[in-house]
Amino acid sequence: MRHLLLAAVLAALLVTPGFAQETQVQSTTGVSAVFYAGVPFEGGQAIAVAGLDAEVTEDLAIADAGYVRLIVGSASYVFMIADVADPGQPAGATLVHVDGATRSLTEVSAELMAAMNASANVLVFTNGGPGDQGVVTAIVNVGKITASTNLPVAASTHVSVIAHGQIQWFAIVSLGTTLGTIVVSADEGTQIELAMTGDTDTLLNILGLIGVGFIAP
C-alpha cells in the first residue's frame, strides 16, 4: 500500500509543468527528493521534485519547503528540513534534521542506498509512524556501533531495520538509548516471527535473530 501511494504522488506530479524533467533525473540515479511545504503524510503540498544533483534555480524553487521525502530505490523516508540548498547549489546540499544534528540529503541518501544495496545494515528511526508515515529522527549504521553505544533516538516511535537489503518495520514499545534497552513489537508486514521470543523484544535480540552483527558487545 505504501508503494502504491508513493506511485500515485509521483504520477500526480508528472502532470505538473516543470516536474517531468526532474523526475527523469530520478530514473537515472535511483534517488530523488520530493519537497513539501508541509508534512507530506498530513496533506502537505508537494512543491518540487528533483534528483539530488539537480541545481536549485528559479524553475526548481524549494525555498518554501519545510519537509522532503527522499526516495531511494524502493524505499521512501521523510525528513524535516533545517536549511534548503541555495540557488546554484545541488538539491542534495539541503540540510535535514537527523541524529540530533543536521546532515545533507546527499549524505543520508548514500547511507540509505548502501543499506538498500545490502552493503550495510541500517536502523532508521522515525516519529509518528513507520517508514514514510513518520519523520526520520536518526539513521544508525549497525556496523559502526557497539551494543552499548548511546543512540540519538529521542522522540522516536518506530524503527525500520534495513538488513541484507530487506526492510522490516517495528513499533517502539519502550524507548531506551541502546540496542538492548529499545523494546519493539512487530509492525504490519514484518516477516520476523517474534513469537519465538514473545510479542515484544529488544532491538539487540532482533538483530541477532536476523543475523546482523555489530562491532562488539
Side-chain angles (χ1 to χ4, degrees), residues 34-161:
V34 185
F35 292 87
Y36 292 82
V39 183
F41 48 84
E42 293 180 357
Q45 181 182 4
I47 59 176
V49 178
L52 298 188
D53 54 354
E55 182 179 332
V56 176
T57 63
E58 291 183 0
D59 293 330
L60 181 60
I62 60 174
D64 294 330
Y67 292 83
V68 58
R69 184 192 304 274
L70 189 63
I71 304 168
V72 183
S74 61
S76 172
Y77 288 100
V78 173
F79 296 83
M80 179 184 291
I81 293 175
D83 189 20
V84 296
D86 292 327
Q89 290 184 310
T94 294
L95 298 179
V96 294
H97 293 286
V98 64
D99 302 337
T102 60
R103 298 171 65 186
S104 72
L105 284 179
T106 297
E107 182 182 359
V108 297
S109 71
E111 195 159 26
L112 291 172
M113 181 62 81
M116 294 301 296
N117 290 337
S119 298
N121 296 313
V122 167
L123 306 175
V124 183
F125 291 85
T126 54
N127 181 26
D132 59 5
Q133 298 306 301
V135 177
V136 172
T137 55
I139 300 175
V140 177
N141 187 325
V142 180
K144 296 181 179 180
I145 65 172
T146 71
S148 59
T149 299
N150 285 320
L151 307 176
V153 296
S156 302
T157 61
H158 292 75
V159 58
S160 300
V161 178

